[in-house]
Amino acid sequence: MIEDVATVIEVQGENVVIESVRKSSCSSCGAGSACGTNVLATLFDQTSQNPRLTLSNTIGAKVGDKVIIGIDEKIVIKSSFFVYIVPVLSMILFAVIGLLVGDAVGLDKESASSILGIIGLFLGFAWLYYYSKRLATEKQYKPVLLRIDNSLPECES
């Protein structure tokens, strides 16, 4: 389970709105996208300085509580696989089709392969966009509240 700390800022019935404090060190860290904190931070609204997320309150958290949220590593790996592989495979497939049908459409094979390869890349990203929207509604792809963080507060300097 990949974990991160967030603060409960609002209780809405059986849900809580949590806010993750964006850590300034994430952008300069060498771990980059391999870091669990950075992966979880990308799940939040990118336009907000401190991104918010609404989750089911399964642990009885109250406003002001520091909570640990998590998401299964297998889901992150599976999602990463799709993000990297689908556009590339789509591009390669369309490029091969361009090589095969280039002469039939009046273009040389390399031009047809290049044009269809770029189209395939964009179609792969488009499919990924709509597929991710559908997956966003599935419970297993959402982070969950794991526990209330009872550790001592960190010193801020």
Side-chain angles (χ1 to χ4, degrees), residues 59-130:
I59 60 172
K62 300 180 295 293
V63 174
D65 285 348
K66 297 279 185 196
V67 294
I68 306 293
I69 60 170
I71 190 165
D72 188 8
E73 296 103 352
K74 292 175 189 172
I75 298 300
V76 174
I77 292 169
K78 181 180 174 183
S79 300
S80 298
F81 175 79
F82 278 116
V83 166
Y84 288 108
I85 295 300
V86 167
V88 171
L89 288 179
S90 177
M91 179 182 69
I92 291 170
L93 175 68
F94 276 72
V96 168
I97 292 170
L99 283 173
L100 298 174
V101 300
D103 291 331
V105 294
L107 292 172
D108 63 281
K109 291 180 179 183
E110 290 79 15
S111 296
S113 178
S114 298
I115 292 168
L116 285 179
I118 291 169
I119 291 170
L121 181 67
F122 285 113
L123 288 175
F125 281 123
W127 177 85
L128 195 59
Y129 175 79
Y130 290 107

Side-chain angles (χ1 to χ4, degrees), residues 14-16 54-59 145:
E14 294 184 11
N15 296 324
V16 289
T54 302
L55 299 174
S56 179
N57 190 3
T58 57
I59 60 172
L145 292 177

